[in-house]
Short mmCIF file of all heavy atoms in Angstrom, two decimals:
data_model
loop_
_atom_site.label_atom_id
_atom_site.label_comp_id
_atom_site.label_asym_id
_atom_site.label_seq_id
_atom_site.Cartn_x
_atom_site.Cartn_y
_atom_site.Cartn_z
N MET A 1 24.12 18.96 -94.63
CA MET A 1 25.53 18.88 -94.29
C MET A 1 25.74 18.41 -92.82
O MET A 1 24.99 18.82 -91.97
CB MET A 1 26.14 20.26 -94.41
CG MET A 1 26.45 20.60 -95.83
SD MET A 1 27.83 21.70 -95.89
CE MET A 1 27.61 22.45 -97.47
N THR A 2 26.78 17.67 -92.62
CA THR A 2 27.06 17.16 -91.26
C THR A 2 27.70 18.29 -90.47
O THR A 2 28.14 19.28 -90.99
CB THR A 2 28.03 16.01 -91.31
OG1 THR A 2 29.25 16.50 -91.81
CG2 THR A 2 27.53 14.89 -92.17
N ASP A 3 27.77 18.08 -89.16
CA ASP A 3 28.35 19.11 -88.33
C ASP A 3 29.81 19.34 -88.63
O ASP A 3 30.28 20.43 -88.66
CB ASP A 3 28.25 18.66 -86.81
CG ASP A 3 26.93 19.09 -86.24
OD1 ASP A 3 26.15 19.73 -86.99
OD2 ASP A 3 26.65 18.72 -85.14
N MET A 4 30.53 18.22 -88.93
CA MET A 4 31.96 18.36 -89.21
C MET A 4 32.16 19.20 -90.50
O MET A 4 33.11 19.97 -90.60
CB MET A 4 32.64 17.03 -89.35
CG MET A 4 32.93 16.30 -87.99
SD MET A 4 33.48 17.40 -86.66
CE MET A 4 35.20 17.54 -87.10
N THR A 5 31.27 18.99 -91.45
CA THR A 5 31.43 19.78 -92.68
C THR A 5 31.18 21.25 -92.39
O THR A 5 31.91 22.11 -92.89
CB THR A 5 30.37 19.31 -93.73
OG1 THR A 5 30.25 17.89 -93.64
CG2 THR A 5 30.78 19.72 -95.11
N TRP A 6 30.18 21.49 -91.51
CA TRP A 6 29.92 22.89 -91.12
C TRP A 6 31.16 23.49 -90.44
O TRP A 6 31.55 24.60 -90.76
CB TRP A 6 28.72 22.97 -90.23
CG TRP A 6 28.34 24.37 -89.95
CD1 TRP A 6 27.49 25.17 -90.69
CD2 TRP A 6 28.86 25.24 -88.94
NE1 TRP A 6 27.42 26.41 -90.16
CE2 TRP A 6 28.29 26.52 -89.13
CE3 TRP A 6 29.80 25.05 -87.90
CZ2 TRP A 6 28.56 27.58 -88.28
CZ3 TRP A 6 30.09 26.15 -87.09
CH2 TRP A 6 29.47 27.39 -87.26
N ILE A 7 31.74 22.75 -89.48
CA ILE A 7 32.88 23.23 -88.76
C ILE A 7 34.01 23.54 -89.67
O ILE A 7 34.67 24.60 -89.65
CB ILE A 7 33.31 22.24 -87.65
CG1 ILE A 7 32.23 22.17 -86.57
CG2 ILE A 7 34.67 22.59 -87.05
CD1 ILE A 7 32.49 21.15 -85.48
N ASP A 8 34.24 22.64 -90.61
CA ASP A 8 35.30 22.83 -91.59
C ASP A 8 35.09 24.11 -92.40
O ASP A 8 36.03 24.90 -92.57
CB ASP A 8 35.30 21.59 -92.53
CG ASP A 8 36.64 21.40 -93.18
OD1 ASP A 8 37.65 21.71 -92.53
OD2 ASP A 8 36.67 21.04 -94.33
N ALA A 9 33.87 24.31 -92.85
CA ALA A 9 33.57 25.50 -93.66
C ALA A 9 33.72 26.75 -92.80
O ALA A 9 34.17 27.81 -93.26
CB ALA A 9 32.15 25.40 -94.29
N ALA A 10 33.25 26.68 -91.55
CA ALA A 10 33.29 27.85 -90.68
C ALA A 10 34.77 28.21 -90.36
O ALA A 10 35.14 29.37 -90.40
CB ALA A 10 32.59 27.58 -89.36
N LEU A 11 35.62 27.20 -90.18
CA LEU A 11 37.06 27.46 -89.89
C LEU A 11 37.68 28.09 -91.14
O LEU A 11 38.43 29.04 -91.00
CB LEU A 11 37.82 26.18 -89.55
CG LEU A 11 37.43 25.52 -88.20
CD1 LEU A 11 38.22 24.22 -88.03
CD2 LEU A 11 37.65 26.45 -87.08
N THR A 12 37.36 27.60 -92.31
CA THR A 12 37.96 28.16 -93.54
C THR A 12 37.51 29.59 -93.76
O THR A 12 38.29 30.47 -94.12
CB THR A 12 37.49 27.31 -94.73
OG1 THR A 12 37.82 25.95 -94.49
CG2 THR A 12 38.20 27.77 -96.03
N SER A 13 36.18 29.87 -93.50
CA SER A 13 35.76 31.25 -93.79
C SER A 13 36.16 32.22 -92.68
O SER A 13 36.29 33.42 -92.99
CB SER A 13 34.20 31.27 -94.10
OG SER A 13 33.51 30.97 -92.96
N ALA A 14 36.41 31.71 -91.50
CA ALA A 14 36.89 32.62 -90.44
C ALA A 14 38.41 32.89 -90.53
O ALA A 14 38.91 33.82 -89.91
CB ALA A 14 36.60 32.02 -89.05
N ARG A 15 39.06 32.08 -91.31
CA ARG A 15 40.52 32.06 -91.35
C ARG A 15 41.19 33.46 -91.69
O ARG A 15 42.01 33.93 -90.84
CB ARG A 15 41.03 31.03 -92.34
CG ARG A 15 42.43 30.76 -92.35
CD ARG A 15 42.83 29.69 -93.34
NE ARG A 15 44.26 29.64 -93.33
CZ ARG A 15 44.97 28.74 -92.68
NH1 ARG A 15 44.38 27.80 -92.00
NH2 ARG A 15 46.26 28.76 -92.71
N PRO A 16 40.77 34.14 -92.76
CA PRO A 16 41.43 35.41 -93.08
C PRO A 16 41.27 36.43 -91.91
O PRO A 16 42.22 37.10 -91.52
CB PRO A 16 40.76 35.89 -94.31
CG PRO A 16 40.14 34.70 -94.92
CD PRO A 16 39.80 33.77 -93.79
N GLN A 17 40.06 36.50 -91.37
CA GLN A 17 39.80 37.52 -90.29
C GLN A 17 40.63 37.13 -89.00
O GLN A 17 41.24 38.00 -88.42
CB GLN A 17 38.34 37.51 -89.99
CG GLN A 17 37.97 38.69 -89.02
CD GLN A 17 36.58 38.59 -88.57
OE1 GLN A 17 35.73 37.93 -89.15
NE2 GLN A 17 36.28 39.34 -87.50
N ALA A 18 40.59 35.85 -88.65
CA ALA A 18 41.27 35.42 -87.43
C ALA A 18 42.76 35.57 -87.56
O ALA A 18 43.41 36.15 -86.69
CB ALA A 18 40.90 33.97 -87.10
N ILE A 19 43.36 35.11 -88.66
CA ILE A 19 44.82 35.20 -88.79
C ILE A 19 45.18 36.69 -88.90
O ILE A 19 46.21 37.13 -88.39
CB ILE A 19 45.33 34.38 -89.97
CG1 ILE A 19 45.08 32.91 -89.72
CG2 ILE A 19 46.84 34.61 -90.17
CD1 ILE A 19 45.74 31.95 -90.69
N GLY A 20 44.32 37.50 -89.56
CA GLY A 20 44.62 38.91 -89.70
C GLY A 20 44.67 39.59 -88.38
O GLY A 20 45.60 40.42 -88.14
N ALA A 21 43.74 39.29 -87.47
CA ALA A 21 43.77 39.87 -86.15
C ALA A 21 44.95 39.37 -85.31
O ALA A 21 45.64 40.19 -84.67
CB ALA A 21 42.48 39.55 -85.41
N LEU A 22 45.23 38.07 -85.40
CA LEU A 22 46.33 37.48 -84.64
C LEU A 22 47.64 38.07 -85.11
O LEU A 22 48.58 38.29 -84.35
CB LEU A 22 46.34 35.98 -84.73
CG LEU A 22 45.14 35.31 -84.00
CD1 LEU A 22 44.93 33.86 -84.46
CD2 LEU A 22 45.28 35.37 -82.52
N LEU A 23 47.72 38.33 -86.40
CA LEU A 23 48.91 38.93 -86.95
C LEU A 23 49.12 40.35 -86.37
O LEU A 23 50.27 40.74 -86.09
CB LEU A 23 48.82 38.98 -88.47
CG LEU A 23 49.93 39.67 -89.25
CD1 LEU A 23 51.25 38.89 -89.11
CD2 LEU A 23 49.62 39.81 -90.73
N ARG A 24 48.07 41.10 -86.19
CA ARG A 24 48.17 42.41 -85.60
C ARG A 24 48.67 42.35 -84.18
O ARG A 24 49.50 43.18 -83.75
CB ARG A 24 46.85 43.13 -85.70
CG ARG A 24 46.84 44.52 -85.05
CD ARG A 24 45.76 45.40 -85.54
NE ARG A 24 44.46 44.75 -85.54
CZ ARG A 24 43.70 44.64 -84.45
NH1 ARG A 24 44.11 45.11 -83.29
NH2 ARG A 24 42.52 44.04 -84.50
N TYR A 25 48.25 41.32 -83.38
CA TYR A 25 48.76 41.25 -82.02
C TYR A 25 50.19 40.83 -81.98
O TYR A 25 50.98 41.36 -81.23
CB TYR A 25 47.99 40.22 -81.22
CG TYR A 25 46.49 40.36 -81.19
CD1 TYR A 25 45.63 39.30 -81.21
CD2 TYR A 25 46.00 41.67 -81.19
CE1 TYR A 25 44.29 39.49 -81.24
CE2 TYR A 25 44.65 41.84 -81.23
CZ TYR A 25 43.74 40.78 -81.23
OH TYR A 25 42.46 40.95 -81.22
N PHE A 26 50.51 39.79 -82.73
CA PHE A 26 51.82 39.19 -82.58
C PHE A 26 52.88 39.72 -83.57
O PHE A 26 54.08 39.48 -83.39
CB PHE A 26 51.73 37.62 -82.70
CG PHE A 26 50.84 37.07 -81.62
CD1 PHE A 26 49.65 36.41 -81.91
CD2 PHE A 26 51.14 37.18 -80.26
CE1 PHE A 26 48.81 35.95 -80.96
CE2 PHE A 26 50.34 36.68 -79.28
CZ PHE A 26 49.15 36.05 -79.62
N ARG A 27 52.40 40.37 -84.60
CA ARG A 27 53.28 41.02 -85.59
C ARG A 27 54.26 40.05 -86.20
O ARG A 27 55.39 40.37 -86.52
CB ARG A 27 54.02 42.19 -84.97
CG ARG A 27 53.03 43.10 -84.25
CD ARG A 27 53.47 44.52 -84.11
NE ARG A 27 52.29 45.32 -83.88
CZ ARG A 27 52.28 46.62 -83.89
NH1 ARG A 27 53.33 47.27 -84.19
NH2 ARG A 27 51.16 47.26 -83.64
N ASP A 28 53.87 38.77 -86.28
CA ASP A 28 54.72 37.77 -86.83
C ASP A 28 53.83 36.70 -87.47
O ASP A 28 52.95 36.14 -86.78
CB ASP A 28 55.61 37.17 -85.75
CG ASP A 28 56.42 36.01 -86.26
OD1 ASP A 28 57.36 36.27 -87.03
OD2 ASP A 28 56.08 34.85 -85.93
N LEU A 29 54.06 36.45 -88.71
CA LEU A 29 53.19 35.59 -89.50
C LEU A 29 53.15 34.11 -88.93
O LEU A 29 52.10 33.51 -88.76
CB LEU A 29 53.62 35.53 -90.95
CG LEU A 29 52.62 35.26 -92.03
CD1 LEU A 29 51.34 36.01 -91.82
CD2 LEU A 29 53.23 35.57 -93.39
N ASP A 30 54.35 33.58 -88.59
CA ASP A 30 54.41 32.26 -88.06
C ASP A 30 53.67 32.09 -86.75
O ASP A 30 52.96 31.13 -86.58
CB ASP A 30 55.88 31.79 -87.91
CG ASP A 30 56.52 31.46 -89.21
OD1 ASP A 30 55.77 30.97 -90.12
OD2 ASP A 30 57.74 31.61 -89.39
N THR A 31 53.86 33.10 -85.87
CA THR A 31 53.18 33.03 -84.53
C THR A 31 51.66 33.08 -84.79
O THR A 31 50.88 32.36 -84.15
CB THR A 31 53.63 34.18 -83.65
OG1 THR A 31 55.02 34.27 -83.70
CG2 THR A 31 53.17 33.98 -82.22
N ALA A 32 51.22 33.98 -85.66
CA ALA A 32 49.79 34.13 -85.90
C ALA A 32 49.21 32.82 -86.47
O ALA A 32 48.14 32.38 -86.03
CB ALA A 32 49.57 35.31 -86.91
N GLU A 33 49.96 32.22 -87.39
CA GLU A 33 49.44 31.00 -88.03
C GLU A 33 49.34 29.89 -87.00
O GLU A 33 48.41 29.12 -86.95
CB GLU A 33 50.45 30.60 -89.11
CG GLU A 33 49.84 30.26 -90.40
CD GLU A 33 50.85 29.61 -91.37
OE1 GLU A 33 52.05 30.02 -91.34
OE2 GLU A 33 50.44 28.73 -92.11
N GLU A 34 50.41 29.79 -86.13
CA GLU A 34 50.42 28.75 -85.13
C GLU A 34 49.32 28.95 -84.15
O GLU A 34 48.64 28.00 -83.74
CB GLU A 34 51.80 28.80 -84.41
CG GLU A 34 52.11 27.50 -83.66
CD GLU A 34 53.41 27.68 -82.89
OE1 GLU A 34 54.38 28.21 -83.41
OE2 GLU A 34 53.36 27.34 -81.65
N ALA A 35 49.09 30.21 -83.74
CA ALA A 35 47.99 30.50 -82.80
C ALA A 35 46.65 30.09 -83.40
O ALA A 35 45.78 29.52 -82.72
CB ALA A 35 47.99 31.99 -82.43
N PHE A 36 46.54 30.35 -84.65
CA PHE A 36 45.24 29.99 -85.34
C PHE A 36 45.10 28.44 -85.40
O PHE A 36 44.00 27.95 -85.12
CB PHE A 36 45.21 30.57 -86.75
CG PHE A 36 43.96 30.24 -87.50
CD1 PHE A 36 42.75 30.86 -87.24
CD2 PHE A 36 43.98 29.26 -88.49
CE1 PHE A 36 41.57 30.50 -87.89
CE2 PHE A 36 42.79 28.89 -89.20
CZ PHE A 36 41.61 29.51 -88.87
N GLN A 37 46.19 27.78 -85.72
CA GLN A 37 46.10 26.33 -85.73
C GLN A 37 45.72 25.76 -84.40
O GLN A 37 44.86 24.87 -84.31
CB GLN A 37 47.46 25.69 -86.15
CG GLN A 37 47.89 25.89 -87.57
CD GLN A 37 46.85 25.48 -88.58
OE1 GLN A 37 45.96 24.66 -88.31
NE2 GLN A 37 46.88 26.05 -89.79
N ASN A 38 46.27 26.26 -83.31
CA ASN A 38 45.93 25.83 -81.98
C ASN A 38 44.48 26.09 -81.69
O ASN A 38 43.77 25.23 -81.13
CB ASN A 38 46.81 26.49 -80.91
CG ASN A 38 48.23 25.87 -80.94
OD1 ASN A 38 48.36 24.67 -81.22
ND2 ASN A 38 49.22 26.69 -80.69
N ALA A 39 43.98 27.23 -82.09
CA ALA A 39 42.57 27.60 -81.84
C ALA A 39 41.69 26.62 -82.64
O ALA A 39 40.66 26.18 -82.14
CB ALA A 39 42.30 29.01 -82.29
N CYS A 40 42.08 26.24 -83.85
CA CYS A 40 41.28 25.28 -84.65
C CYS A 40 41.21 23.96 -83.97
O CYS A 40 40.16 23.32 -83.92
CB CYS A 40 41.85 25.15 -86.03
SG CYS A 40 41.59 26.61 -87.07
N LEU A 41 42.34 23.49 -83.42
CA LEU A 41 42.37 22.19 -82.74
C LEU A 41 41.39 22.22 -81.56
O LEU A 41 40.60 21.27 -81.33
CB LEU A 41 43.77 21.86 -82.20
CG LEU A 41 44.78 21.53 -83.28
CD1 LEU A 41 46.16 21.31 -82.65
CD2 LEU A 41 44.38 20.32 -84.08
N ARG A 42 41.35 23.35 -80.79
CA ARG A 42 40.40 23.43 -79.69
C ARG A 42 38.99 23.51 -80.17
O ARG A 42 38.04 22.97 -79.60
CB ARG A 42 40.71 24.68 -78.85
CG ARG A 42 42.11 24.54 -78.30
CD ARG A 42 42.32 25.23 -77.01
NE ARG A 42 43.68 24.89 -76.63
CZ ARG A 42 44.22 25.16 -75.43
NH1 ARG A 42 43.42 25.69 -74.51
NH2 ARG A 42 45.42 24.81 -75.14
N ALA A 43 38.75 24.20 -81.35
CA ALA A 43 37.40 24.27 -81.88
C ALA A 43 36.92 22.89 -82.23
O ALA A 43 35.74 22.56 -82.01
CB ALA A 43 37.41 25.18 -83.17
N LEU A 44 37.79 22.08 -82.81
CA LEU A 44 37.38 20.70 -83.25
C LEU A 44 36.98 19.89 -82.02
O LEU A 44 36.10 19.01 -82.14
CB LEU A 44 38.48 20.02 -84.00
CG LEU A 44 38.81 20.57 -85.40
CD1 LEU A 44 40.05 19.94 -85.97
CD2 LEU A 44 37.58 20.36 -86.28
N LYS A 45 37.56 20.20 -80.83
CA LYS A 45 37.13 19.49 -79.64
C LYS A 45 35.90 20.08 -79.06
O LYS A 45 34.95 19.40 -78.66
CB LYS A 45 38.26 19.55 -78.57
CG LYS A 45 39.29 18.45 -78.77
CD LYS A 45 40.25 18.49 -77.58
CE LYS A 45 41.64 18.03 -77.99
NZ LYS A 45 42.66 18.79 -77.27
#
Side-chain angles (χ1 to χ4, degrees):
Chain A
M1 280 208 200
T2 65
D3 275 356
M4 283 320 281
T5 322
W6 186 89
I7 291 176
D8 202 36
L11 293 178
T12 307
S13 67
R15 190 179 173 99
Q17 188 188 343
I19 297 189
L22 292 164
L23 176 66
R24 177 157 49 80
Y25 306 144
F26 299 115
R27 309 204 163 191
D28 174 72
L29 207 46
D30 283 329
T31 313
E33 228 191 324
E34 199 186 313
F36 179 76
Q37 290 307 338
N38 284 326
C40 287
L41 290 177
R42 300 210 175 190
L44 289 172
K45 275 189 213 144

